[in-house]
Amino acid sequence: MIRLAVHHQPQLLLQQENCPQITDSSCRWREKESVSLLKKCKAMEELKQVHGHMLRLGLFNDSFCISNLVATCALSTWGSMDYASLVFSTIDDPSTFDFNNMIRGYAKDHDFENAVEIFVEMLERGNSPDNFTYPFVFKACAGLGLMRLGREIHGQVFKLGFHDDLFVQNSQINMYGKCGEIGNSCAVFEGMEQKTVASWSALVAAHANLGKWWECLEIFGDMMGEGSFRAEESILVSVISACTHLSALDLGRSVHGYLMRNFSGLNVIVETSLIDMYIKCGCIEKGLALFDKMSAKNRWSYCVMISGLAMHGKGHEALLLFSEMLEQGIEPDDVVYLGLLSACRHAGLVEEGLELFKTMRLEYRIQPTIQHYGCILDLLGRAAMFDEAFNLIEKMPMEPNDVVWRTLLSASRVHCNLEVGERVAKKLVQLGSNNAGDYVMMSNMYAGAQRWNDAAMARSMVADRRLDQAAGLSLVEVKRKMYKFVSQDKARCNWEDIYEMLHQMEWQLKFEGYVPDTSEVVQNVHAEEKQQRLRYHSQKLALAFALLHTPEDTTIRIVRNVRMCRDTHTYTKFISVIFNRKIIVRDRNRFHHFKDGTCSCGDYW
Ligand code: ZN
């Protein structure tokens, strides 16, 4: 008897009712023939024909054929879950195999709700899940962020004795990682008797998912250190991401080499990740060269390249690439426009930026986000067009946040416009923003206008409110290893050598005319203490370390977690001349390429 289910379509029922009931032994060859026809299918139309054929042969009650039909329909790349579900609903007593195929099919299509629903139905009907069921159920839980359900199912896995199954364990590492429970991911990993590349890969992905890039590289190092694993593409994509965020260029290059040697032809995701890595590690030329060689580019590839050119201050090149993208028939989205506007912002292309902002809204009907507005306001501020900036703020559909106001505060400082500065500072106070840097900026502006009392008052606010600057951190790569520095760092075992090097650098800097600029040091401390803090600044320690440990002609690459202060900027310019080195620093906003005593940002950042 055919079970009536919700999804039943009359058409299917009719076909089945019109068919003769064949239950004799000659049925076996029909089964075989139908299944071999199924295996040859390459599209839904063909599968439907085979299904019709099966019905005509009277095989609609044949669990072997119907199960195969569901499996093919659910798991093929060209399959259809709607049709699979329709056929599934005709099965009187679905087996665990049938349920597994349905769950897997839904999970494959990212239809996680239906995957969980069918799993619940499976339990309600008394079918026992097995080790093929759980990996996809965990995938669905991860996709829906259902941490509690995931944990409950984890308990069930224990009860049923599947906790030692490799596939189940790997999927648990993934699930906990995606739900942000990294401790549980590690616990499952540690408890595994036998680990595969997929286990390592899942652990790296779990850390990458939470932005724990440092740990990603450590785990990858441990895996390669064990010597018996061959890295696969998915783990390498996570590692490339980690290299991108940490600016670990040498390691990134090795991964690229490994990919070239071990994989024939890279897909667009891997290629674009590599381009992103080179750009964010400061090698814009290498990124461009790879981009030009790509056989197929999509919107993401263009987006990465446009934003990359923007970060490196190459505004005109970014705009040219955008025209090329349009010529290729690729429609821009809000992220592409964000890249374009920040390209205009970093290169000071005011007219172009305003024009793009207009076409984005009017031609492409893209709603600007607060980041888009931030770019435009920075652009207007840079050009000292403060009236226009305030007008735009009035028209913004959302409330401007502290980041937006701070953009204008920096611009007012650059143009020494105290009136605008005070107006913006008031807004920042109203917003309850307690950023030490804002007060320092105001204090410096008052000092510039010789309003000493106001300058002192702004400074004392920092002390009264116990405000502190974000802890500065500098990362530098030496011989394929990343080294982390904080201010006044003495954690390295050879710290004395680094400090000795700093003294030598300072001596030469003085000779060249460098004067420390303590105006941006926030802490309320003595002038001498301020100088100490500046002297052992994290970026300077990283520079000294790199100068000590890299050959003379190599470029030094540093990543900062905060915006570079003026003193460090000047200092680095001097170092680039004295030691004849190219120094590339990525701060929170952009890249600074230091060479022969100048910086690519033109001192506006
Ligand atoms: Zn610069």
Side-chain angles (χ1 to χ4, degrees):
M1 213 203 82
I2 294 162
R3 185 171 64 92
L4 273 171
V6 205
H7 300 300
H8 249 309
Q9 281 178 0
Q11 193 196 355
L12 191 63
L13 269 177
L14 256 177
Q15 281 176 336
Q16 285 164 341
E17 277 161 6
N18 290 341
C19 286
Q21 288 272 352
I22 301 173
T23 48
D24 60 80
S25 58
S26 69
C27 178
R28 180 115 352 127
W29 71 267
R30 296 171 214 267
E31 278 184 356
K32 268 194 173 169
E33 190 213 4
S34 303
V35 173
S36 77
L37 280 174
L38 261 182
K39 281 185 183 151
K40 286 182 194 145
C41 287
K42 293 265 177 308
M44 271 315 286
E45 276 318 301
E46 290 170 20
L47 181 127
K48 282 180 187 169
Q49 278 175 16
V50 177
H51 189 196
H53 182 70
M54 282 162 69
L55 294 174
R56 276 192 299 278
L57 290 175
L59 293 169
F60 48 83
N61 243 351
D62 183 302
S63 62
F64 178 69
C65 285
I66 298 297
S67 286
N68 269 291
L69 185 73
V70 169
T72 312
C73 192
L75 305 181
S76 307
T77 44
W78 45 262
S80 149
M81 279 317 286
D82 285 344
Y83 200 81
S85 145
L86 179 72
V87 181
F88 178 80
S89 66
T90 68
I91 305 175
D92 269 346
D93 188 14
S95 64
T96 297
F97 175 75
D98 298 323
F99 274 111
N100 283 353
N101 287 327
M102 289 300 287
I103 295 171
R104 194 169 155 193
Y106 281 127
K108 172 187 78 88
D109 284 359
H110 293 259
D111 183 353
F112 300 127
E113 270 172 30
N114 269 322
V116 170
E117 212 167 277
I118 205 116
F119 173 67
V120 173
E121 188 188 330
M122 177 181 191
L123 297 178
E124 282 170 358
R125 295 181 77 164
N127 285 65
S128 308
D130 62 15
N131 52 336
F132 292 104
T133 316
Y134 289 112
F136 299 99
V137 175
F138 282 129
K139 185 179 173 186
C141 290
L144 294 169
L146 294 174
M147 191 61 243
R148 269 181 59 188
L149 183 66
R151 263 202 228 113
E152 268 172 42
I153 299 173
H154 189 166
Q156 198 182 79
V157 163
F158 247 100
K159 239 195 254 165
L160 294 175
F162 293 117
H163 55 281
D164 281 339
D165 184 273
L166 205 59
F167 293 103
V168 175
Q169 287 170 320
N170 288 346
S171 62
Q172 284 174 343
I173 299 175
N174 259 327
M175 175 198 65
Y176 284 124
K178 291 224 168 89
C179 293
E181 302 243 337
I182 200 80
N184 285 339
S185 289
C186 296
V188 174
F189 183 81
E190 294 300 331
M192 288 174 87
E193 266 182 37
Q194 189 201 348
K195 293 164 182 132
T196 61
V197 178
S199 325
W200 287 96
S201 189
L203 193 66
V204 170
H207 283 86
N209 195 39
L210 291 180
K212 293 184 174 285
W213 308 114
W214 194 268
E215 289 82 353
C216 275
L217 294 189
E218 273 179 356
I219 298 164
F220 180 64
D222 289 347
M223 175 185 132
M224 295 313 266
E226 298 227 334
S228 49
F229 297 105
R230 185 179 173 275
E232 55 180 29
E233 217 169 350
S234 68
I235 196 169
L236 292 171
V237 169
S238 300
V239 172
I240 296 171
S241 261
C243 293
T244 308
H245 284 88
L246 298 169
S247 264
L249 178 63
D250 282 344
L251 184 62
R253 266 199 203 117
S254 317
V255 173
H256 187 187
Y258 186 90
L259 281 164
M260 300 295 283
R261 285 193 302 278
N262 292 286
F263 296 88
S264 58
L266 304 176
N267 64 35
V268 80
I269 298 176
V270 178
E271 278 190 300
T272 309
S273 308
L274 280 169
I275 293 172
D276 198 30
M277 185 271 294
Y278 279 111
I279 294 172
K280 297 222 172 97
C281 288
C283 296
I284 184 80
E285 286 81 14
K286 179 74 187 171
L288 262 174
L290 276 185
F291 181 78
D292 286 339
K293 269 194 241 154
M294 275 179 101
S295 49
K297 296 166 190 164
N298 59 16
R299 180 156 59 197
W300 183 46
S301 335
Y302 274 102
C303 191
V304 160
M305 201 62 234
I306 288 173
S307 314
L309 288 165
M311 284 180 91
H312 285 271
K314 295 182 181 293
H316 288 291
E317 287 91 331
L319 296 185
L320 278 176
L321 196 62
F322 178 57
S323 316
E324 186 192 303
M325 175 184 147
L326 294 181
E327 276 165 25
Q328 298 291 321
I330 301 174
E331 282 248 325
D333 62 1
D334 58 331
V335 192
V336 172
Y337 266 104
L338 194 59
L340 286 167
L341 294 181
S342 67
C344 295
R345 161 195 202 167
H346 290 314
L349 305 172
V350 182
E351 261 175 51
E352 292 86 342
L354 292 175
E355 186 57 36
L356 281 167
F357 191 54
K358 207 155 85 193
T359 50
M360 160 187 167
R361 287 170 300 158
L362 302 181
E363 211 172 298
Y364 291 100
R365 310 255 162 224
I366 299 171
Q367 281 296 324
T369 64
I370 198 147
Q371 282 100 332
H372 293 100
Y373 280 105
C375 282
I376 292 296
L377 288 169
D378 191 38
L379 207 52
L380 293 171
R382 180 190 256 267
M385 294 160 72
F386 291 113
D387 290 340
E388 287 83 348
F390 284 114
N391 276 339
L392 184 64
I393 287 181
E394 295 276 302
K395 284 190 214 136
M396 273 167 65
M398 66 288 279
E399 281 296 312
N401 59 14
D402 58 329
V403 182
V404 166
W405 288 116
R406 202 159 292 125
T407 309
L408 284 184
L409 188 63
S410 311
S412 68
R413 187 199 63 181
V414 172
H415 294 288
C416 300
N417 191 328
L418 193 55
E419 195 197 319
V420 171
E422 281 185 317
R423 194 169 156 189
V424 173
K426 238 180 236 159
K427 291 283 179 193
L428 279 166
V429 171
Q430 276 171 16
L431 276 178
S433 159
N434 273 326
N435 185 309
D438 299 344
Y439 291 100
V440 174
M441 230 186 267
M442 279 316 289
S443 165
N444 288 341
M445 279 169 77
Y446 284 128
Q450 302 195 319
R451 283 167 59 176
W452 307 112
N453 280 344
D454 291 325
M457 191 128 92
R459 284 267 161 185
S460 66
M461 299 277 248
V462 178
D464 292 349
R465 298 182 181 199
R466 296 175 190 277
L467 304 177
D468 211 345
Q469 274 165 318
L473 195 79
S474 296
L475 295 172
V476 66
E477 190 185 39
V478 170
K479 291 178 193 136
R480 287 187 198 176
K481 254 192 99 178
M482 297 303 293
Y483 295 87
K484 206 190 293 187
F485 290 91
V486 293
S487 172
Q488 292 167 295
D489 205 335
K490 285 185 181 171
R492 298 258 105 68
C493 55
N494 56 353
W495 68 268
E496 278 128 332
D497 297 344
I498 303 171
Y499 279 62
E500 174 56 36
M501 182 66 191
L502 265 186
H503 285 295
Q504 284 183 32
M505 285 154 72
E506 218 167 76
W507 192 82
Q508 297 194 50
L509 281 159
K510 255 186 203 151
F511 193 73
E512 295 287 332
Y514 159 78
V515 184
D517 175 1
T518 57
S519 67
E520 283 184 59
V521 180
V522 167
Q523 289 90 346
N524 215 19
V525 286
H526 296 297
E528 201 177 318
E529 166 77 16
K530 277 186 188 174
Q531 291 229 5
Q532 287 289 331
R533 289 189 184 189
L534 273 188
R535 181 176 291 160
Y536 304 121
H537 187 285
S538 68
Q539 184 173 323
K540 296 178 183 174
L541 291 171
L543 269 175
F545 183 73
L547 285 170
L548 272 173
H549 296 285
T550 53
E552 272 176 16
D553 54 345
T554 38
T555 303
I556 299 174
R557 296 164 205 277
I558 294 175
V559 190
R560 302 286 315 276
N561 61 335
V562 290
R563 181 186 164 276
M564 215 187 309
C565 66
R566 274 209 268 190
D567 175 69
T568 333
H569 199 263
T570 315
Y571 184 99
T572 314
K573 282 204 275 190
F574 272 106
I575 293 291
S576 74
V577 196
I578 298 169
F579 291 87
N580 192 24
R581 289 277 194 122
K582 251 174 103 171
I583 301 163
I584 301 177
V585 183
R586 181 174 108 199
D587 75 2
R588 210 181 48 199
N589 297 330
R590 61 169 297 148
F591 274 96
H592 300 263
H593 293 247
F594 295 95
K595 203 187 161 213
D596 304 328
T598 57
C599 179
S600 63
C601 74
D603 297 339
Y604 190 106
W605 75 96

